[in-house]
Amino acid sequence: MRKVKKSMVALAMIASTCGIQAQNVTRFTTTEDAPWVESKGKLSDKALGTIVASVDGTENGVVFRAWGTTFNELDWDAFNLLSRDDQDEVMKNIFSPTGDLRFTHGRVSMNANDYARSWYSCDDVVGDLGLHYFNIERDKRNIIPLARAAQKYCPQLQLFMSPWSPPSWMKINQDYPVSPNKYNKMDERQGYLLHMDKEVQYDADEMKLLGDRDGVFPRRLAAQDFFIQDPRYLQCYANMFCRFIDLYAEQGIPITKVMYQNEAYSYTPYPGCAWTAEGTLRFNNEYLAPTLAKLHPEVELWIGTFNTNRLDYVEKILDDPTLQANVKGVGTQWECRENLPEMRKRYPKFRFMVSESECGNGNMDWAAGEHTFFLLSDNLGNGCDEYYNWNFILQDNGMSTWGWTQNALIQVDGKTRKIRYTPEYQAYKHFSHFIEPGAEMVAYAGREYSKTPVVVFRQGQKVMVTAGNFTDTESQLCVKVKGKYLNMSLRPHSFNTYVIGK
C-alpha cells in the first residue's frame, strides 16, 4: 500500500513539474534593428488579446519533414568570394544541427537553370539516345563542391532534382528557352510555337511580377509540348534521370526525390520547357515512373513543380488514377500556393512540399523578409511538410545570367567580400531553428491574418508559436494552449517565435 501511495505521489510530482514547465515561455524577437532578442515569460490564466488559435494537445497535425535550399552555379561563385573562415561560418549556420537554420536537404537541376553561369546540358550530342556522352563534369566543378561543403556540417544531406530544360536537341524549338528575348538567341519567329497564334505577344516580364497577370498565371496555357513527344526521346529522357542519379551517387551525394520539370507554366526566356497536361501524364506514367521503379526504386517520384493558380489544369493532372498510384507527393511554387487548401482537401493521400521559395527582386530588404515570413506561415499552415529555399547566397543584387535580380539568405558584397545575413535569413531562422523533423503543425490563424500570421507547432511536450507583425502598430494576439493563454504583444514590423516548455 505504501508503494502505491509513493507511486501516486511521484506521478503527481511529475505531472506538477510538467505543468510548471509547460507554463514557461521563451520568446525570440527580430526587428530590422535588433535581431534575435531573447526574453522569458509564462502562460497566463487570462486572455489579454484576440484569440487567433487554440490547441489542447489532441489535434492531428501535419508532420513536418525537412528544410532545404538549392545549389546553383551563381551561389558557388558568391561562396568563392569568401575567406575560408567565412565559408565555414556560412555552412555551419545553414547546415549544422547546432547552427541557425539547420537545413538537411538540397535541390539541384539536371542541366542548367536560370542561376547557372550559362546554358549547358549533361548531353549536348544531338541524337545521343544511348547516352554515350552523358556526363556531370560541369556539376563536378560547380555544384557538387558546394553540396560537399554543406555535407561537412550535414553528412546526411540528401537532394531532390528537377530539370529546368532538357537538352535543346530534345525540344521542338531546338533551343533551351521557351520564349525569345534579348538575353537569349532564340529565333523570334519561334515565339509563335507557344500559343500557335502569331497575334499573341508573350510578356517576358510576366514571371517577374511586372507583367499584366490579371490575377491568373499563366494568362494563356501552352498550346503544345515543347519536349518532342517521340517515344524514343521520352524513354531516353527517363533514362537520363536515372543516369544522373547514378553519377551523383558515385560522388557520394544521394538523390532521393525527382520531379519531371521545374515550372512547366513559366514560359521562360531562360532555360525552361512547356508541357501540356497530356504530355505531363504521358511522360510520368509511361516512361519516368516505370524506369525509376526498375532502376531506382528507392527514389521517390513527385509531380511538379506546379507554379500555376489555374486549379482546373492542375486537377486535370492530379485526378489521373495512374499518376496517383505512381507519385508520392506534389511540389508547389509561387501561384500554386493560392490553391493549397483546396488541393489538400481534394488529394488527402498526397504530401505537399514548397519546392522553391519566391525569389524577390534583388532588394534583400526588410519588406522582402516580411513577405518571406508570411510565405513560410502560409505554406506551412496549409500543410506543406518540406520547404526549400531558392538561392541561399548571392553577390550584390543577385543578378541572374538572364537579367533578373533576385534575393538570397546571405548577400556578399562583391567589392569587400563581406557577408550580410538578410531579413529573409532571419525569417527562416524563426521557423527552421525550432521546427524539427517530426514536429506537427497543429493550428494556423488563416489568411485573414495575413499582416499578423500565427502558426502553432507541437513536438512532444513542447509547443512552438511563430507570429509576425507587418503593421506600424503593436498587435495584441493570443493563443490558447491547454487551458492557458499565450499573450503576445507583437512589436511593429517584427518576427517572433515563442517556445513553450523545454
Side-chain angles (χ1 to χ4, degrees):
M1 188 69 177
R2 286 182 181 178
K3 287 184 179 180
V4 173
K5 287 184 177 180
K6 286 181 179 180
S7 297
M8 291 177 66
V9 170
L11 288 170
M13 290 178 66
I14 291 171
S16 176
T17 301
C18 289
I20 292 172
Q21 289 177 353
Q23 294 183 50
N24 294 331
V25 178
T26 305
R27 173 181 178 175
F28 300 86
T29 298
T30 292
T31 59
E32 188 170 9
D33 299 323
W36 211 247
V37 176
E38 182 177 346
S39 59
K40 301 291 184 180
K42 288 186 178 295
L43 296 180
S44 174
D45 293 325
K46 182 179 180 181
L48 300 180
T50 303
I51 299 176
V52 295
S54 179
V55 295
D56 61 14
T58 64
E59 299 82 7
N60 292 317
V62 177
V63 178
F64 186 75
R65 307 296 184 97
W67 297 99
T69 190
T70 311
F71 301 119
N72 291 326
E73 285 192 335
L74 295 191
D75 292 67
W76 176 239
D77 289 346
F79 185 74
N80 279 319
L81 291 175
L82 306 181
S83 68
R84 181 58 60 84
D85 287 345
D86 283 347
Q87 289 179 346
D88 282 340
E89 176 189 318
V90 164
M91 288 309 199
K92 181 177 181 181
N93 281 338
I94 293 177
F95 292 100
S96 170
T98 59
D100 285 347
L101 304 191
R102 305 179 180 186
F103 290 178
T104 58
H105 285 50
R107 181 184 183 185
V108 294
S109 61
M110 180 170 66
N111 312 317
N113 61 36
D114 55 317
Y115 268 72
R117 295 192 200 105
S118 60
W119 166 250
Y120 70 93
S121 81
C122 296
D123 195 334
D124 289 327
V125 179
V126 177
D128 183 21
L129 299 176
L131 303 184
H132 180 74
Y133 292 99
F134 188 93
N135 68 86
I136 59 166
E137 294 308 307
R138 186 149 163 173
D139 290 46
K140 288 180 182 179
R141 296 192 299 271
N142 303 303
I143 304 299
I144 288 172
L146 192 58
R148 282 182 173 150
Q151 279 183 315
K152 176 179 177 180
Y153 293 98
C154 180
Q156 74 275 24
L157 180 76
Q158 56 183 268
L159 306 183
F160 100 78
M161 180 274 282
S162 67
W164 266 238
S165 172
S168 57
W169 55 270
M170 305 183 96
K171 295 174 66 179
I172 61 172
N173 62 341
Q174 300 291 287
D175 208 345
Y176 65 81
V178 173
S179 63
N181 81 349
K182 64 181 180 180
Y183 292 104
N184 63 48
K185 297 179 180 180
M186 181 176 164
D187 187 337
E188 290 187 0
R189 295 173 299 176
Q190 291 183 325
Y192 158 78
L193 297 176
L194 181 60
H195 301 302
M196 303 295 285
D197 185 346
K198 290 183 179 179
E199 302 303 318
V200 174
Q201 295 297 316
Y202 174 70
D203 183 354
D205 283 333
E206 189 175 15
M207 283 87 63
K208 300 183 183 181
L209 304 178
L210 300 176
D212 180 16
R213 294 179 174 224
D214 295 327
V216 178
F217 183 83
R219 287 170 291 167
R220 294 188 69 190
L221 293 168
Q224 61 179 325
D225 294 286
F226 269 54
F227 191 95
I228 297 171
Q229 298 296 294
D230 180 320
R232 298 173 304 157
Y233 281 61
L234 291 163
Q235 184 58 60
C236 176
Y237 199 35
N239 294 342
M240 282 185 178
F241 279 71
C242 292
R243 183 69 62 84
F244 191 86
I245 293 167
D246 289 337
L247 294 178
Y248 261 72
E250 289 177 7
Q251 298 299 310
I253 303 174
I255 293 173
T256 58
K257 301 182 186 71
V258 297
M259 298 187 200
Y260 84 109
Q261 174 67 44
N262 177 73
E263 297 189 353
Y265 313 98
S266 286
Y267 306 135
T268 60
Y270 51 80
C273 189
W275 292 77
T276 67
E278 292 77 13
T280 295
L281 291 170
R282 182 181 300 114
F283 177 60
N284 280 279
N285 286 340
E286 299 177 28
Y287 297 93
L288 186 54
T291 304
L292 274 176
K294 179 181 178 180
L295 300 178
H296 283 288
E298 79 285 0
V299 175
E300 296 178 356
L301 176 61
W302 286 53
I303 189 65
T305 63
F306 286 118
N307 66 313
T308 175
N309 55 9
R310 300 179 72 129
L311 182 59
D312 58 334
Y313 198 67
V314 173
E315 289 174 345
K316 192 173 182 180
I317 296 171
L318 296 185
D319 282 351
D320 183 79
T322 303
L323 184 91
Q324 290 183 10
N326 284 332
V327 304
K328 182 75 172 181
V330 180
T332 67
Q333 299 179 190
W334 290 82
E335 280 75 14
C336 194
R337 177 183 59 81
E338 299 171 21
N339 294 325
L340 266 175
E342 182 61 32
M343 290 170 67
R344 290 196 64 245
K345 289 178 185 176
R346 189 174 177 97
Y347 309 106
K349 75 167 230 171
F350 282 145
R351 289 175 51 201
F352 289 81
M353 73 155 73
V354 179
S355 40
E356 178 188 306
S357 60
E358 294 184 18
C359 58
N361 57 9
N363 288 341
M364 307 196 202
D365 56 8
W366 183 259
E370 290 189 342
H371 183 59
T372 294
F373 194 99
F374 168 72
L375 292 175
L376 285 156
S377 303
D378 199 54
N379 281 294
L380 295 174
N382 279 302
C384 290
D385 63 25
E386 291 191 22
Y387 205 112
Y388 289 82
N389 177 63
W390 179 223
N391 289 297
F392 73 91
I393 184 168
L394 289 175
Q395 179 180 341
D396 299 329
N397 65 352
M399 176 65 77
S400 79
T401 307
W402 286 271
W404 188 354
T405 56
Q406 296 185 12
N407 295 348
L409 304 183
I410 298 171
Q411 183 181 36
V412 180
D413 187 303
K415 295 180 180 178
T416 65
R417 303 194 173 197
K418 299 299 182 183
I419 57 178
R420 168 182 172 254
Y421 293 93
T422 69
E424 288 175 84
Y425 178 96
Q426 300 297 337
Y428 271 90
K429 184 178 178 181
H430 273 274
F431 287 83
S432 64
H433 191 78
F434 304 101
I435 312 308
E436 300 174 352
E440 293 181 80
M441 190 287 298
V442 292
Y444 176 40
R447 294 177 178 180
E448 66 271 25
Y449 295 100
S450 61
K451 295 294 183 181
T452 54
V454 175
V455 191
V456 184
F457 302 87
R458 181 181 63 235
Q459 190 156 28
Q461 296 300 311
K462 185 168 60 176
V463 174
M464 292 83 72
V465 179
T466 58
N469 181 6
F470 312 146
T471 72
D472 295 332
T473 59
E474 187 170 287
S475 183
Q476 301 290 331
L477 301 179
C478 180
V479 174
K480 187 176 181 181
V481 183
K482 296 182 180 180
K484 298 287 186 179
Y485 299 93
L486 173 66
N487 293 310
M488 303 182 293
S489 297
L490 306 179
R491 295 181 60 186
H493 298 286
S494 65
F495 309 149
N496 305 270
T497 304
Y498 297 82
V499 181
I500 305 168
K502 290 185 177 180

